[in-house]
Amino acid sequence: MSIDPACPPELRGDLEALAEIFAKDDTLGSVFIEALVPWEGFVRPPNAGHAAVADFLITRMAAGAVSANYDNLIERRAQDYGFDLAASLDGDEATVRAPKHAPLLKFHGCSVRERRATVWTASQLSEDGVIAARIAKTKTWMAANLREKELLVIGFWSDWSYLNAVLAEAMTGVAPLSMTLVDLAGADVLQAKAPELWALANSGNVRFAHVQRSGAEVLDDLRRAVSQAYLRKVLHAGRAALERETGAACEAAWLDPPDLGSEDLYGLRRDAEGVPATAAATLRNPGPSEVLGYAHLLLRRAGAVQTAVGYDLAGRRVRVVNGSGTLLQTTQDRFRETPFEVADVVVCAGAIDVGLPVNLVREGRPGDIIRPGASAAWLDLPAARQELGV
């Protein structure tokens, strides 16, 4: 935002004070919000942190997220994954949306929803009826839904002192079990910025940790860890079957999840759910995965090398997709619509091949998982074992 040279020096670095001038002149919405706020600054590509939050909310790995940001980067990243994640502007909306996904509560307002009702100055909390009602509903929701939770705080709540006071009031009686604060600032700066919240974090009954790192990096690391935990469960689900068949112990290395980036791990989670790249992974934990895990372990036992989309086995690219409870041809048809890296063999673990004629399955197109002409082989597990020698 450019500042008029005539603006008093004491106001040039105080956005809240500037906003209050427009509020008193009854032009906060029509001039300050509509004409002076640089909303284009809120339109930028989502980062790895936004992707992590979107993933956590869709799968309910997090119970919810409370954000002071106006942008819609979390929602946009969810849409990229093929999921309609809608933000809530107050506690009532959060409650309504909870059956579909863990709520994203934007108590500060939103750049794409009711822009004039975004919060910029303290007087709005008492003088703007819409905002005051939202804050009241948000306090009620936070008191009910944050109580005795493990809290991960990215940045010390808000840069706005009056909102920190509102949050501190809302947090009264919440009694979190733990609070992990991710903020590059030192303890003295954080305590001065939000003394009430600092006191809550450091109260005797709260396990508190301060991590001085980038929030996006920490969220991405956390997402990698939970994705690896998910895939580890898949692999362990097939362990007993492998050991029964081979009569030998499963090697520990075969049970290690891939050491890949968060997006590659997300793709493997999608395959483990049996959903194509046009749909989001929605499961917090894998469903019954004995056959799927067994298929992975057979490939690992045969010396297959993990790749970002599956395995390399003697120069052949192999992808493992969960087809449990489906016909092989049904899963093949669903994935055929998905632009993805080509595979030579797709193991549809758990699916049943009833031998439908090829012409009942639509042809592929360049960029699909299947090369044009269906050169990749879609196989159920017994056929894949024979084809690959595993």
Side-chain angles (χ1 to χ4, degrees), residues 81 270-271 274-280 319 334-335 337-338:
Y81 291 136
R270 271 175 160 156
D271 282 357
V275 297
T278 51
R319 186 177 176 192
R334 185 170 68 248
F335 274 77
E337 293 298 318
T338 305

Side-chain angles (χ1 to χ4, degrees), residues 240-298:
L242 183 75
E243 292 181 340
R244 280 198 306 269
E245 183 196 12
T246 64
C250 179
E251 293 188 14
W254 301 344
L255 300 170
D256 289 336
D259 184 16
L260 298 169
S262 56
E263 290 299 325
D264 290 333
L265 291 169
Y266 183 71
L268 295 177
R269 280 172 43 211
R270 271 175 160 156
D271 282 357
E273 279 194 34
V275 297
T278 51
T282 60
L283 297 182
R284 179 176 179 176
N285 291 297
S289 303
E290 183 178 25
V291 177
L292 180 65
Y294 178 50
H296 279 280
L297 293 176
L298 285 171

Side-chain angles (χ1 to χ4, degrees), residues 81-282:
Y81 291 136
F83 192 90
D84 179 29
L85 190 152
S88 303
L89 300 184
D90 61 43
D92 286 358
E93 284 191 359
T95 300
V96 169
R97 295 203 166 99
K100 184 175 181 181
H101 56 76
L104 169 61
L105 179 53
K106 296 165 73 169
F107 66 89
H108 209 166
C110 180
S111 62
V112 297
R113 288 190 58 203
E114 301 180 47
R115 185 174 286 181
R116 288 198 182 190
T118 50
V119 181
W120 295 91
T121 182
S123 65
Q124 290 176 275
L125 303 180
S126 57
E127 298 175 11
D128 187 313
V130 172
I131 291 175
R134 284 180 180 170
I135 294 295
K137 293 174 184 177
T138 295
K139 288 180 181 178
T140 301
W141 185 89
M142 290 176 66
N145 291 274
L146 300 186
R147 184 171 182 79
E148 298 183 350
K149 292 291 194 301
E150 308 275 353
L151 301 183
L152 175 63
V153 183
I154 307 298
F156 207 58
W157 299 94
S158 170
D159 289 326
W160 303 78
S161 59
Y162 62 89
L163 285 176
N164 285 334
V166 169
L167 284 167
E169 181 181 348
M171 293 289 289
T172 300
V174 166
L177 297 177
S178 70
M179 185 181 292
T180 301
L181 168 63
V182 181
D183 198 303
L184 292 169
D188 54 341
V189 173
L190 298 174
Q191 184 173 8
K193 180 179 177 182
E196 299 93 343
L197 292 170
W198 184 260
L200 171 66
N202 287 274
S203 58
N205 60 335
V206 178
R207 299 191 305 275
F208 176 66
H210 176 199
V211 180
Q212 289 184 274
R213 290 182 59 201
S214 156
E217 291 177 358
V218 169
L219 284 168
D220 191 52
D221 285 349
L222 179 60
R223 186 187 186 200
R224 287 186 69 251
V226 298
S227 293
Q228 287 178 319
Y230 182 105
L231 296 170
R232 185 180 292 109
K233 292 175 183 177
V234 170
L235 294 170
H236 276 266
R239 179 176 184 172
L242 183 75
E243 292 181 340
R244 280 198 306 269
E245 183 196 12
T246 64
C250 179
E251 293 188 14
W254 301 344
L255 300 170
D256 289 336
D259 184 16
L260 298 169
S262 56
E263 290 299 325
D264 290 333
L265 291 169
Y266 183 71
L268 295 177
R269 280 172 43 211
R270 271 175 160 156
D271 282 357
E273 279 194 34
V275 297
T278 51
T282 60

